[in-house]
Amino acid sequence: MASPPGSRNAGVLRVRAPVSPRQSAISAVGIWVVFFGVWTLANRMGWVNPILVPPPDQVLKTLYTLFAEQGFASDVLISVERVLVAFAMACLVAVPLGVAMGAFPAIDVVLSPFVSAWRYLPAPSFIPILLMWFGTGEAPKLALLFLGVIFFLITLIADHTKEVRKELIETALTLGAGQRVTVLRVMLPAVLPSIVTAMRQMLAMTWTYLVIAEIVASTTGIGAMMMRARRFLHTDEILAGIIVIGALGLVFDMAFAALHRRLFPYLQESR
Amino acid sequence: MAEVLLHIEQLSKSFPMPGGRLLTAVENVSFTVETGSVCVLLGPSGSGKSTILRIIAGLETQTAGAVRLRGRPIAGPGRDRGMVFQAYTSFDWLPVGKNVEFGMKINGVPARERRERAARFVDLVGLTKFIDAYPSRLSGGMRQRVAIARTLANAPEVLLMDEPFGALDAETRWQMQELMVDIARDSGATIIMVTHDIEEAIFLADKIVFLSSHPGRLREVIVPDFKPAERIRNKERVLELPGFGQLERKIMRMMREEGERV
């Protein structure tokens, strides 16, 4: 039997076919309903050991108790502070260096071989020496977070700055701009949206290093709480910590997205 | 004839190729550009017309020869030679008015004068309604209008245009060509334009510098003297002039010969 023309393109999965807002909302909620449903079911049916995998409602109760009765908020604040301080220091160094590398090949050929080499060294491998240098205070944790993102951030910003179109630079030069004006008034504003996007990506990575730092060498912070909980088989607290880290990551990501829209209104109009 | 603004003297440019050979893009090209005139560089691809324009702008350095502006040899880019490119160059983070003010701002023109001049040139290119809009809202033709206004507002001695309408659709292109007639007539700007569009060249040019290819050499300087002294804005009226078709056919033959020579 011959099928009608075009029938091969019917069905749910069509390449690049647009999806209605309703379908995408239902899908987004649905996947989480399924996730928690399977989790609850596994507990009810006794498929998993409740000591290792506590049911979701218990994790949520524990999350409430942690904040209400056990002063977990101060751990969360310490963690947030570590991320923000280390990340701000990394940005303060990376933005000027990255833009300078992207603008001036003479600077790029000096710094690029150095920065690229460091990028391949996993930051956690510095933990033992950082502990010896900085002791057990805040310094080694901040240093780890800083080292973890700084080289990626510099490279990303330098690459984005190199992508600023030649015609924009030549326009500035033929309007009478010198080197300084060309970099600060044309290249920098042109690359700024990409810099903020790079920051957004690297902030997520800072959270990864935070957990490593707090698990390995800290008595405070979300990661340290989770390691304490492990000693007493409090899996519900560990899972609650994971949820908090995930939620914080999401909040910061959304904040950066909002900042991006706020700073660059001209990018919205074309979409 | 009017006074000479630009002397292009025995200009040559070669680029090093992989393998150590030299590619000669421009060889021994000389011509002059008179104040207030429109000079069009025309030729097949590979005739070095963009390279010549970029040397005049100071964005490339010649291998031999000289470019003199009012007798002074040029060294590097400067505000006296403003350039409009084929690719869009609007500064997306600035609204139209601020884009047009940009050159004046970095050159220290006081804020009030800057705004007045910007408003005047935005009006000249017909974008007054869009003076506070960001370029991302504008069409390609409107963005090129912004680039032209920005360059002119900066008061260059010569306006350099590198295939400025090459990326535009046909209708927008002839509208922009008629706008250029307005600008040449009303502002008295000296304009050097690179194009490979024969019709555009004849319509706009006071002088056509025809270049042959591989390497780029001067083949002929053509003055379309069938056109009356005062500039005609209406394109079909120029197309109707008896000399137009004749010159168009002549230049097409020259283009064809260049193609067959390779």
Side-chain angles (χ1 to χ4, degrees):
Chain A
M1 269 253 297
S3 43
S7 64
R8 292 185 51 179
N9 294 322
V12 180
L13 296 182
R14 275 170 299 147
V15 175
R16 292 280 161 86
V19 169
S20 73
R22 187 164 157 268
Q23 186 186 346
S24 89
I26 292 174
S27 305
V29 174
I31 184 74
W32 285 103
V33 170
V34 169
F35 175 76
F36 283 106
V38 169
W39 184 355
T40 310
L41 193 70
N43 279 109
R44 292 279 162 82
M45 305 298 284
W47 295 339
V48 289
N49 179 349
I51 295 177
L52 293 180
V53 185
D57 54 316
Q58 189 191 328
V59 172
L60 289 180
K61 265 180 246 155
T62 305
L63 188 60
Y64 175 78
T65 328
L66 276 173
F67 277 106
E69 293 163 23
Q70 297 179 29
F72 186 43
S74 69
D75 279 314
V76 173
L77 271 180
I78 286 174
S79 294
V80 169
E81 191 184 314
R82 283 174 186 152
V83 166
L84 291 184
V85 170
F87 187 68
M89 292 195 305
C91 290
L92 280 178
V93 177
V95 172
L97 279 185
V99 170
M101 286 167 71
F104 301 106
I107 294 179
D108 191 47
V109 292
V110 175
L111 292 183
S112 208
F114 186 75
V115 171
S116 313
W118 284 93
R119 231 163 21 120
Y120 293 105
L121 293 171
S125 62
F126 289 92
I127 291 176
I129 195 100
L130 291 176
L131 285 172
M132 290 176 71
W133 286 345
F134 298 115
T136 52
E138 287 302 294
K141 289 139 202 153
L142 295 179
L144 176 70
L145 304 200
F146 182 86
L147 281 179
V149 295
I150 183 76
F151 300 109
F152 286 95
L153 201 51
I154 292 176
T155 311
L156 276 174
I157 293 173
D159 287 348
H160 287 309
T161 309
K162 285 174 199 167
E163 283 161 16
V164 171
R165 287 189 300 118
K166 187 174 121 189
E167 289 89 1
L168 287 187
I169 297 165
E170 292 182 339
T171 297
L173 294 173
T174 55
L175 286 170
Q179 303 296 314
R180 195 186 145 82
V181 169
T182 303
V183 174
L184 294 182
R185 299 270 191 88
V186 174
M187 298 184 76
L188 185 60
V191 78
L192 211 52
S194 307
I195 291 182
V196 173
T197 302
M199 284 182 181
R200 190 177 157 189
Q201 294 159 347
M202 286 299 111
L203 185 64
M205 198 156 135
T206 315
W207 278 100
T208 309
Y209 286 111
L210 172 87
V211 177
I212 295 172
E214 290 184 345
I215 283 178
V216 174
S218 183
T219 54
T220 53
I222 305 172
M225 181 282 284
M226 289 158 68
M227 281 313 272
R228 275 200 307 276
R230 179 185 145 260
R231 243 180 279 151
F232 305 106
L233 298 178
H234 288 170
T235 41
D236 50 347
E237 291 184 4
I238 298 178
L239 290 174
I242 292 175
I243 290 175
V244 169
I245 291 171
L248 284 172
L250 189 67
V251 166
F252 276 95
D253 196 61
M254 279 160 53
F256 250 99
L259 180 74
H260 201 277
R261 282 195 299 274
R262 184 75 188 271
L263 285 177
F264 313 115
Y266 54 89
L267 293 178
Q268 262 70 53
E269 295 189 18
S270 57
R271 305 281 145 80
Chain B
M1 202 73 203
E3 118 192 63
V4 174
L5 181 68
L6 265 168
H7 288 272
I8 284 82
E9 293 163 351
Q10 294 168 351
L11 207 61
S12 295
K13 171 79 180 174
S14 33
F15 295 99
M17 293 281 282
R21 294 214 339 268
L22 279 178
L23 175 82
T24 306
V26 177
E27 193 172 81
N28 205 20
V29 170
S30 303
F31 61 96
T32 57
V33 181
E34 285 70 34
T35 305
S37 73
V38 179
C39 172
V40 171
L41 305 184
L42 182 67
S45 53
S47 61
K49 50 195 190 296
S50 283
T51 306
I52 294 173
L53 196 74
R54 291 176 59 80
I55 292 171
I56 298 172
L59 296 171
E60 306 258 5
T61 328
Q62 65 271 35
T63 318
V67 175
R68 288 176 207 284
L69 180 73
R70 293 189 195 286
R72 305 182 314 268
I74 61 126
R79 67 176 295 197
D80 50 356
R81 285 152 290 129
M83 181 123 156
V84 173
F85 298 82
Q86 176 175 1
Y88 303 140
T89 54
S90 22
F91 298 145
D92 290 340
W93 56 94
L94 298 175
V96 168
K98 299 281 174 203
N99 256 281
V100 176
E101 281 184 43
F102 185 88
M104 295 184 277
K105 186 167 183 180
I106 62 172
N107 288 302
V109 176
R112 238 188 78 199
E113 187 187 337
R114 215 160 66 206
R115 273 198 299 275
E116 284 166 12
R117 272 182 75 83
R120 202 163 83 232
F121 282 95
V122 169
D123 184 54
L124 177 71
V125 298
L127 287 180
T128 300
K129 255 179 21 192
F130 295 91
I131 195 161
D132 293 320
Y134 283 113
S136 55
R137 272 188 50 205
L138 307 182
S139 67
M142 287 154 88
R143 287 187 193 209
Q144 286 308 68
R145 287 167 193 259
V146 174
I148 292 167
R150 181 177 58 193
T151 312
L152 286 174
N154 201 35
E157 298 217 46
V158 55
L159 171 61
L160 308 173
M161 308 182 87
D162 193 359
E163 302 200 28
F165 313 135
L168 305 179
D169 58 83
E171 184 194 354
T172 313
R173 192 180 310 171
W174 67 251
Q175 287 168 353
M176 295 297 286
Q177 290 164 359
E178 293 191 343
L179 173 70
M180 290 316 296
V181 174
D182 285 343
I183 287 171
R185 193 180 50 201
D186 301 345
S187 71
T190 308
I191 299 168
I192 308 178
M193 180 190 282
V194 163
T195 186
H196 53 242
D197 181 335
I198 298 173
E199 202 181 277
E200 178 171 278
I202 303 174
F203 177 54
L204 290 174
D206 298 316
K207 177 194 272 185
I208 297 172
V209 174
F210 190 96
L211 299 152
S212 62
S213 59
H214 304 295
R217 292 198 183 107
L218 180 70
R219 179 157 163 185
E220 191 176 337
V221 173
I222 303 162
V223 177
D225 45 15
F226 68 90
K227 295 195 286 187
E230 76 276 13
R231 299 183 191 280
I232 303 174
R233 179 187 207 274
N234 188 305
K235 192 170 177 186
E236 56 268 33
R237 275 190 51 211
V238 176
L239 294 175
E240 281 161 5
L241 293 173
F244 192 98
Q246 203 185 335
L247 182 55
E248 189 175 26
R249 286 190 293 278
K250 169 186 160 146
I251 295 176
M252 281 185 91
R253 268 197 302 278
M254 289 164 75
M255 281 278 194
R256 187 188 300 280
E257 284 162 19
E258 289 301 325
E260 283 163 355
R261 214 167 45 81
V262 177

